[in-house]
């Protein structure tokens, strides 16, 4: 038989193990190609205000994707070659030299990669337009979607292909050179032997794992103080190391306790789930830690991105409570603007608000950043409650008291705070984390009652707030506004609510788009690696299944146990990863001014569903494999 | 350990067993019409050259494989007509197996391996524990319960495997070359234990072997040649040594390999 025949026959035989890998590869390369295409696309570089940060974001995304794909391919390949150790040994036994075996595997690898790259690129070409449409939709941009074929994208994909090819070829040469014939006769995988650890040591390490992770979680919620950076490092270290201990010791230890309690009388399901999980946990610990940590990072990124996107409208409102705001200096434009609106027939409400600006000295005003200053001065604005109310701000103050609006940080504590302007003392009754007047006109504002306002003897500046209820009308009014104040550098005009919405949507939209796709690629990669790992275990356990059948256990009974094992294997990294990202999102929750329950829930559910898909796939294939082993 | 049989009723009856392997074009008739009756309490050995069909015969009787034709009843039940699921259940409740390469599960301790056949039903833990401790005492493996198979010697593994085969008090124990992978000392120990179980606890055993020394522990030895029963020998009141030389004689005539080393 010629070498090429051997290669062909082998590939076909191995195709069954490979097809998910092949599809994941096609999928990743497709996304990579699409990303590259978007990176170089005109619509994105011209149609968007923030196009500079946009293309650098895409570039970062492309690099991340490339890294994920490379790691995935190398890891999956390493698993496959381990699984094919016997086959590789057999070739050498029938007289092929190591060089010939390498050549054979290199050809096989090349064909597989070239096939995936070609298919991925073609699919990428087909779907790029769809993705561009989706992108434009997410960012809510008005742009003609005309997608040109991009040679740069093709080249960039070619570079990735070459990189994968070179690395995997080196990997093959390396593996074959290290491969010894004795491996053929060694039935058990290395590192899976059961090492006896002293029970005390094990218990200590197991509990240490829980404590470290728990401490990391606790600290992540309490790290806003002057040691923020050190705290972050400590959280990172304790959680990652804790996770590793969880997987390498704690889980086995907990399961071992269940097992010991049975004193040999394991139920059949536990014999096929708990026992092999304990058996393999140690050798799987590094992989599971890596997958869990990276899942948590990805999931956090995606969740944060989605939450920012989700809350961008509400946040824009909190920074720009008024659709249009004119300062004292802009009163002429305000008049002209309102006149133009009348001409256009746009319904609006225009309200004048008197303000004064002053260096206000604040006492016992805690901004919530973790450090306190007893007394400090801040340049703030003061405005009467009644005028703010008629401009739509929901505020009420008692006599001699004030409500503070402003800052965009964590919750503040103003229960003891007082403000002083000249001779006027104001007791701060409430501190709100959003603005009463658009953010670019004040650092913060104290709303006071009419009398207190009159008692402050400073120059009045009258602002004009213009609000429009109807969305389309507001968009039209925004165009009118920018014919007065063009959106160019050097323009003296203030930004509007609509402008803020636009740029928030673009920034967060791009973030969610890139994080989302990286997340999906990452999930596809980790999900398939967990799946390959399970299929490798099924392969290793075939002998046990034969024995069990001879002992009189049916396939269904075995699958009952195996599905429990696989459920554990898929659920553990998912559950721990979810928990990690829950605390990570919690620790940055001050970034969000609004409730993010919905976006967080959606992200977590989608993530779980994708893992569920791989779990089911794994079950279906396990059933098939076992039936074929047992000859039915 | 087998339950008391009503006297006179055989435990296993096989009639005209044929087994053909292969597709329509290239068939290979391995069993060519075998009859066998096993009484409760017997220790039956099956001998024959390599490829004579011993394993095939045992697998067919043990419901692991189905015969091409013929009838088999075990404990009054027609196992050829049984459906797969019922067969699995029957196998799990009424039969025990020992294999040449032990077939222990690596991920389970010796005790867990032994108790595995009871793991699906819910027998009383106390009762199981009693049977377990009695068995491990008989087989001299009291101390290895917490060990994993890779920590045990071949002989220990095979005795663990025997304990697993007997934990559910099967009607009959099937063993296929149980000493095949053991050194002579471990083999002798295992066979001695099997003989003891047969004599003291009335466990019915059917054992395939190509080793005359191993079959000398049996109460009856069948000789297979070319898919047919060539002859059979009863031990009767003879000593094991006398029985052994008889077996060797038959094997000489049969033309199988004679293990002069024993
Ligand atoms: N599953 C099978 N398919 C086809 N032929 C088989 C199968 N099992 C056994 N045989 C054939 O049956 C014959 C007897 O095999 P076996 O019963 O294993 O012999 P023994 O155990 O006496 O050495 C051999 O020629 C073998 O090739
Ligand atoms: Mg055999």
């Amino acid at each position: 038989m010629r070498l090429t025949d051997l290669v062909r026959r082998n590939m076909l035989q191995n195709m069954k193990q490979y097809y998910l890998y092949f599809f994941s590869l096609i999928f990743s390369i497709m996304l990579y190609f699409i990303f590259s295409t978007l990176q170089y696309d005109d619509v994105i570089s011209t149609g968007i205000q923030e196009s500079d940060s946009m293309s650098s974001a895409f570039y970062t995304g492309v690099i991340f994707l490339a890294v994920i794909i490379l790691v995935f391919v190398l890891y999956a390949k390493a698993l496959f070659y381990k699984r094919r150790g016997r086959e590789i040994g057999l070739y050498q036994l029938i007289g092929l030299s190591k060089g010939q075996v390498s050549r054979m595997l290199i050809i096989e690898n090349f064909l597989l990669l070239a096939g995936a790259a070609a298919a991925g690129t073609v699919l990428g070409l087909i779907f790029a337009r769809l993705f561009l449409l989706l992108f434009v939709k997410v960012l809510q941009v008005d742009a003609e979607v005309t997608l040109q074929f991009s040679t740069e994208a093709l080249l960039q994909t070619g570079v990735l292909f070459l990189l994968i090819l070179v690395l995997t070829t080196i990997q093959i040469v390396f593996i074959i050179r290290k491969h010894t014939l004795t491996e053929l006769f060694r039935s058990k995988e290395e590192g899976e032997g059961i090492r006896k650890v002293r029970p005390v040591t094990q218990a200590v390490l197991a509990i240490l794992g829980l404590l470290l992770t728990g401490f990391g979680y606790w600290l992540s919620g309490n790290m806003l103080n002057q040691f923020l950076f050190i705290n972050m490092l400590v959280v990172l270290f304790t959680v990652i190391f804790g996770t590793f201990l969880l997987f390498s010791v704690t889980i086995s230890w907990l399961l071992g306790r269940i097992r010991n309690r049975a004193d040999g009388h394991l139920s059949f399901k536990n014999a096929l789930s708990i026992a092999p999980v304990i058996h393999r946990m140690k050798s799987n610990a590094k992989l599971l830690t890596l997958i869990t940590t990276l899942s948590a990072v990805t999931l956090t990124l995606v969740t944060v991105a989605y939450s920012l996107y989700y809350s961008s409208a509400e946040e824009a409102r909190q920074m720009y409570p008024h659709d249009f705001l004119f300062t004292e200096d802009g009163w002429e434009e305000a008049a002209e603007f309102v006149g133009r609106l009348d001409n256009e027939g746009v319904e609006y409400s225009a309200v004048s608000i008197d303000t004064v600006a002053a260096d206000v000295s604040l006492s016992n005003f805690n901004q919530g950043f973790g450090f306190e200053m007893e007394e400090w001065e801040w340049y703030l604005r003061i405005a009467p409650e009644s005028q703010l109310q008629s401009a739509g701000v929901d505020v009420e103050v008692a006599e001699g008291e004030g409500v503070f609006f402003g800052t965009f940080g964590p919750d503040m504590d103003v229960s003891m705070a007082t403000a002083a302007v000249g001779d006027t003392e104001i007791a701060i009754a409430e501190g709100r984390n959003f603005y009463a007047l658009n953010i670019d006109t004040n650092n913060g504002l104290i709303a006071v009652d009419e009398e207190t306002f009159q008692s402050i003897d400073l120059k009045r500046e009258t602002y004009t707030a213009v609000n429009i209820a109807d969305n389309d009308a507001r968009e039209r009014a925004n165009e009118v506004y920018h014919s007065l104040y063009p959106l160019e550098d050097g323009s003296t005009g203030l930004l509007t609510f609509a402008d803020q919405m636009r740029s928030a949507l673009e920034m967060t939209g791009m973030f969610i788009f890139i994080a989302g796709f990286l997340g999906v690629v990452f999930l596809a990669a980790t999900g398939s690696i967990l799946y390959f790992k399970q299929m490798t275990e099924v392969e290793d356990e075939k002998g046990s299944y034969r024995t069990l059948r001879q002992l009189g256990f049916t396939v269904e009974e075995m699958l009952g146990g195996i599905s429990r094992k696989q459920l554990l294997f898929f659920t553990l990294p998912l559950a721990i990863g979810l928990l990690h990202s829950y605390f990570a999102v919690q620790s940055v929750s001050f970034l969000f001014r609004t409730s993010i329950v919905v976006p967080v829930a959606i992200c977590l559910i989608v993530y779980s569903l994708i893992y569920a898909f791989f779990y089911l796939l794994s079950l279906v294939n396990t059933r098939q494999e076992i039936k074929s082993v047992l000859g039915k | 350990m087998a339950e008391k049989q009503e006297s006179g009723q055989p435990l296993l009856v096989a009639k005209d067993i044929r087994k053909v392997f292969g597709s329509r074009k290239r068939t290979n008739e391995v069993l060519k019409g075998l009859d066998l009756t096993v009484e409760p309490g017997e220790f039956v050995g099956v001998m024959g050259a390599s490829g004579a069909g011993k394993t095939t015969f045992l697998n067919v009787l043990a419901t692991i494989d189905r015969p091409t034709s013929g009838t088999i009843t075990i404990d009054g039940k027609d196992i050829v007509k049984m459906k797969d699921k019922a067969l699995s259940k029957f196998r799990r409740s009424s039969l025990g197996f020992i294999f040449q390469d032990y077939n222990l599960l690596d991920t389970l301790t010796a005790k867990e391996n032994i108790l595995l056949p009871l793991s699906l039903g819910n027998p009383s833990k106390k009762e199981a524990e009693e049977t377990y401790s009695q068995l491990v005492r008989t087989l001299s493996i009291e101390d290895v319960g917490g060990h994993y198979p890779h920590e045990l010697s071949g002989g220990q593994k095979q005795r663990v495997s025997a304990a697993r085969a007997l934990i559910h008090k099967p009607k009959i124990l099937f063993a296929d070359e149980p000493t095949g992978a053991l050194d002579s000392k471990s083999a002798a120990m295992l066979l001695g234990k099997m003989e003891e179980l047969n004599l003291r606890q009335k466990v019915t055993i059917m054992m395939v072997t190509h080793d005359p020394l191993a079959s000398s522990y049996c109460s009856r030895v069948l000789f297979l040649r070319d898919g047919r029963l060539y002859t059979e020998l009863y031990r009767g009141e003879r000593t094991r040594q006398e029985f052994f030389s008889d077996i060797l004689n038959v094997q000489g005539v049969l033309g199988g390999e004679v293990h002069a080393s024993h």
Side-chain angles (χ1 to χ4, degrees):
Chain A
M1 190 161 27
R2 297 219 327 275
L3 197 59
T4 45
D5 292 332
L6 205 58
V7 172
R8 216 192 44 221
R9 277 193 25 180
N10 264 311
M11 265 183 74
L12 291 179
Q13 253 173 22
N14 283 309
M15 211 48 210
K16 230 177 87 193
Q17 310 180 3
Y18 274 151
Y19 75 98
L20 188 76
Y21 163 74
F22 195 59
F23 285 138
S24 301
L25 201 57
I26 292 178
F27 180 67
S28 319
I29 290 179
M30 176 186 88
L31 282 183
Y32 184 83
F33 180 76
I34 291 173
F35 249 64
S36 307
T37 306
L38 297 188
Q39 180 191 345
Y40 292 110
D41 192 74
D42 287 345
V43 176
I44 286 173
S45 52
T46 56
I48 287 170
Q49 290 173 23
E50 318 272 352
S51 66
D52 274 354
S53 52
M54 191 78 51
S55 65
S56 72
F58 268 111
Y59 185 64
T60 320
V62 162
I63 304 253
F64 258 107
L65 257 178
V67 172
I68 293 176
I69 294 173
L70 280 174
V71 171
F72 164 69
V73 169
L74 288 175
Y75 189 83
K77 285 254 142 178
L79 262 185
F80 289 144
Y81 292 131
K82 200 169 177 188
R83 200 160 141 185
R84 289 173 68 184
R86 270 185 94 76
E87 179 197 328
I88 292 169
L90 273 174
Y91 294 142
Q92 287 173 255
L93 216 57
I94 60 170
L96 289 185
S97 72
K98 280 194 172 184
Q100 280 171 312
V101 176
S102 309
R103 216 172 311 142
M104 198 179 82
L105 292 177
I106 288 170
I107 295 172
E108 182 193 286
N109 177 48
F110 173 77
L111 292 178
L112 214 70
L113 276 182
T121 310
V122 170
L123 286 175
L125 274 173
I126 297 170
F127 286 114
R129 201 185 140 76
L130 200 70
F131 276 68
L132 189 61
L133 280 172
L134 183 65
F135 184 70
V136 164
K137 185 114 184 96
V138 168
L139 268 63
Q140 303 179 11
V141 186
D142 279 324
E144 279 293 307
V145 175
T146 52
L147 190 76
Q148 287 110 19
F149 174 75
S150 152
T151 0
E152 291 106 321
L154 194 66
L155 275 175
Q156 199 159 291
T157 311
V159 169
L160 177 74
F161 168 71
L162 282 180
L163 211 60
I164 299 178
L165 189 66
V166 169
L167 287 177
T168 47
T169 304
I170 293 173
Q171 185 188 27
I172 289 171
V173 172
F174 197 69
I175 286 175
I176 300 295
R177 188 179 302 163
K178 255 184 43 187
H179 192 278
T180 56
L181 265 182
T182 50
E183 274 169 50
L184 179 59
F185 305 105
R186 200 183 306 153
S187 57
K188 277 296 133 229
E189 282 175 57
E190 295 163 69
E192 301 213 328
I194 303 152
R195 269 171 247 107
K196 290 240 153 134
V197 189
R198 294 223 336 265
V200 181
T201 319
Q202 206 196 10
V204 168
L205 287 177
I207 291 166
L208 185 67
L210 286 173
L211 287 179
L212 277 179
T213 315
F215 175 74
Y217 285 168
W218 172 81
L219 189 59
S220 75
N222 294 282
M223 59 182 185
L224 278 181
N225 56 37
Q226 57 267 55
F227 303 116
L228 179 64
F229 184 66
I230 297 172
N231 286 342
M232 273 163 39
L233 286 181
V234 172
V235 167
L236 211 61
F237 173 79
T238 49
V239 170
I240 291 179
F241 190 63
T243 309
F244 178 69
L245 283 180
L246 286 185
F247 281 119
S248 57
V249 190
T250 311
I251 288 166
S252 311
W253 181 69
L254 289 173
L255 293 176
R257 291 178 70 84
I258 299 178
R259 184 182 190 174
N260 290 344
R261 200 165 313 140
D263 184 30
H265 301 256
L266 276 186
S267 75
F268 185 66
K269 274 192 175 174
N270 285 346
L272 282 196
S273 53
I274 292 185
V277 167
I278 294 177
H279 185 67
R280 293 224 161 77
M281 224 9 148
K282 202 144 191 172
S283 67
N284 283 342
K286 266 189 230 141
L287 172 72
L288 290 177
T289 307
L290 190 71
I291 285 184
T292 303
T293 312
L294 291 181
S295 304
V297 172
T298 320
L299 191 54
T300 307
L301 216 64
V302 173
T303 310
V304 167
Y306 187 30
S307 301
L308 284 174
Y309 180 71
Y310 184 84
S311 56
S312 59
E314 213 166 319
E315 289 202 358
R317 215 15 125 190
Q318 296 182 341
M319 288 192 267
Y320 287 81
H322 308 287
D323 290 342
F324 303 90
L325 188 67
F326 297 86
T327 57
E328 170 95 13
D329 295 339
W331 70 272
E332 281 177 322
E333 281 85 356
E336 191 183 345
F337 179 60
V338 169
R340 291 272 295 274
L341 291 185
D342 284 335
N343 283 346
E344 297 254 337
V346 174
E347 278 187 41
Y348 63 89
S349 82
V351 177
S352 298
I353 304 168
D354 292 328
T355 69
V356 297
D359 281 318
V360 179
S361 45
L362 297 166
S363 328
N364 300 319
F365 190 102
N366 185 347
Q367 281 191 292
F369 285 118
F371 47 87
E372 281 178 43
M373 291 193 288
E374 286 212 343
E375 200 168 328
W376 46 297
E377 283 205 343
W378 204 3
Y379 188 69
L380 297 175
R381 249 165 221 290
I382 298 168
E385 137 200 63
S386 56
Q387 291 179 1
L388 287 170
Q389 276 167 2
S390 47
V393 180
D394 178 20
V395 60
E396 244 175 79
V397 293
E399 213 181 302
E401 291 187 346
V403 173
F404 174 85
F405 288 86
T407 78
F408 233 49
D411 284 341
M412 45 195 145
D413 175 13
V414 295
S415 49
M416 307 293 290
T418 53
V421 194
D423 299 332
T424 314
E425 282 269 337
I426 307 165
I428 306 287
E430 202 185 324
R432 296 198 187 159
N433 251 330
F434 52 84
Y435 286 80
L437 293 178
N438 292 1
I439 189 167
D440 44 9
T441 61
N442 64 107
N443 295 324
L445 177 142
I446 300 173
V448 295
D449 62 294
E450 198 61 42
E451 241 170 89
T452 312
F453 186 70
Q454 295 306 337
S455 73
I456 300 169
D457 187 21
L458 286 168
K459 183 180 166 293
R460 302 275 183 274
E461 292 176 30
T462 307
Y463 283 22
T464 312
V466 179
N467 285 298
I468 296 170
D470 180 63
N471 284 337
D472 291 339
R474 190 187 308 124
E475 282 297 325
R476 252 185 302 143
N478 203 44
E479 281 165 29
V480 172
Y481 179 87
H482 285 301
S483 64
L484 297 174
Y485 291 118
L487 253 183
E488 284 156 11
D489 292 343
S491 164
T492 51
L494 300 168
L495 288 179
T496 66
F497 169 73
D499 297 337
Q500 172 60 26
M501 268 294 278
R502 165 90 275 116
S503 82
L505 273 178
E506 283 181 8
M507 288 309 291
T508 58
M510 175 183 64
F511 190 24
I512 178 72
F513 194 78
I514 291 176
F517 280 103
L518 286 179
V520 168
V521 173
F522 180 74
L523 265 181
T526 50
S528 20
I529 282 186
L530 290 180
Y531 165 87
F532 297 146
K533 195 79 191 150
Q534 280 313 299
M535 297 323 284
T536 313
E537 288 186 8
V538 169
E539 187 84 17
D540 289 345
E541 284 165 4
K542 278 182 175 172
S544 306
Y545 304 146
R546 278 196 206 97
T547 305
L548 288 172
R549 194 173 96 91
Q550 287 167 333
L551 293 181
F553 294 99
T554 63
V555 175
E556 295 309 317
E557 285 157 355
M558 287 181 229
L559 280 169
I562 297 166
S563 60
R564 181 183 283 187
K565 179 188 88 170
Q566 298 194 344
L567 188 64
L568 269 176
F569 193 76
F570 278 96
T571 321
L572 285 173
L574 177 68
I576 297 178
L578 288 182
L579 208 58
H580 283 3
S581 40
Y582 171 78
F583 281 98
V585 171
Q586 273 289 303
S587 74
V588 293
S589 59
F590 65 83
L591 284 177
F592 310 106
R593 346 271 39 260
T594 60
S595 163
I596 53 168
V597 173
V598 176
V600 171
I602 289 177
C603 282
L604 302 193
I605 290 170
V606 169
Y607 215 80
S608 310
L609 281 180
I610 294 180
Y611 264 54
F613 163 77
F614 280 105
Y615 169 59
L616 290 180
L617 193 67
S618 168
L619 278 191
V620 169
N621 275 303
T622 305
R623 176 186 296 268
Q624 259 179 13
E625 281 282 301
I626 292 181
K627 287 206 162 159
S628 81
V629 175
L630 301 183
K632 322 191 220 184
Chain B
M1 225 175 267
E3 281 159 36
K4 284 253 163 62
Q5 290 291 303
E6 285 169 42
S7 57
Q9 193 192 335
L11 180 59
L12 181 152
V13 180
K15 286 211 178 84
D16 196 24
I17 303 299
R18 287 172 197 279
K19 179 71 186 177
V20 182
F21 285 117
S23 57
R24 231 161 282 149
K25 277 185 221 151
R26 292 172 54 200
T27 54
N28 177 13
E29 189 172 25
V30 177
L31 304 181
K32 300 172 179 165
L34 282 165
D35 297 303
L36 175 68
T37 303
V38 178
E39 299 296 335
E42 274 197 286
F43 187 172
V44 181
V46 180
M47 289 204 59
S50 173
K54 303 184 294 292
T55 296
T56 309
F57 188 42
L58 188 88
N59 283 352
V60 165
L61 293 180
T63 73
I64 289 173
D65 209 347
R66 285 183 185 276
T68 309
S69 70
T71 59
I72 305 169
T73 54
I74 299 180
D75 197 27
K77 295 187 186 66
D78 182 347
I79 60 159
V80 178
K81 291 220 182 74
M82 266 191 221
K83 293 251 166 31
D84 270 346
K85 221 171 156 187
L87 211 53
S88 285
K89 202 162 173 219
F90 177 72
R91 196 150 64 219
R92 204 165 69 226
S93 59
S94 310
L95 310 180
F97 300 92
I98 309 179
F99 309 95
Q100 174 170 352
D101 35 14
Y102 328 123
N103 289 2
L104 297 174
L105 269 54
D106 305 320
T107 51
L108 300 182
T109 62
K111 183 169 183 183
E112 286 163 352
N113 261 296
I114 293 171
L115 291 168
L116 192 63
L118 300 180
S119 64
L120 256 190
N122 15 343
S124 96
K125 194 171 164 182
K126 196 165 151 269
E127 206 177 300
E129 194 66 27
E130 263 167 35
T131 319
Y132 170 79
S133 47
Q134 190 201 333
L135 268 174
V136 292
R137 228 178 308 118
T138 312
L139 290 162
S140 309
I141 43 172
E142 300 100 312
D143 300 331
V144 303
H147 292 248
Y148 287 93
H150 76 99
E151 299 169 313
L152 303 179
S153 72
Q156 285 174 321
K157 277 192 241 190
Q158 198 57 297
R159 278 176 281 142
V160 168
S161 166
R164 180 179 66 185
L166 294 170
I167 190 75
H168 54 298
K169 307 188 179 173
K171 301 272 188 291
I172 180 166
L173 172 67
F174 293 99
D176 188 356
E177 312 262 11
T179 57
L182 301 182
D183 60 80
S184 55
K185 208 172 139 217
S186 311
M189 167 138 187
L190 178 74
L191 290 163
K193 297 291 181 194
M194 285 171 74
E195 190 180 32
E196 189 182 329
L197 283 162
N198 172 248
L199 293 176
R200 297 242 182 96
Q201 316 201 19
K202 302 283 172 268
V203 178
T204 311
I205 303 176
M206 179 160 174
M207 174 176 76
V208 158
T209 180
H210 63 264
D211 176 3
L213 190 66
S215 47
S216 69
Y217 286 83
C218 300
S219 58
R220 167 160 65 124
V221 179
L222 312 175
F223 292 87
L224 293 194
R225 188 164 82 170
D226 193 23
R228 291 199 171 81
L229 182 64
Y230 176 73
T231 184
E232 56 184 335
L233 285 180
Y234 281 86
R235 178 164 161 189
E237 298 304 315
R238 277 169 291 177
T239 63
R240 200 156 65 71
Q241 202 176 352
E242 287 163 352
F243 193 38
F244 174 59
S245 54
D246 285 356
I247 294 169
L248 276 187
N249 288 338
V250 175
Q251 212 179 27
V253 179
L254 201 76
E257 332 93 291
V258 176
H259 290 253
S261 59
H262 291 299

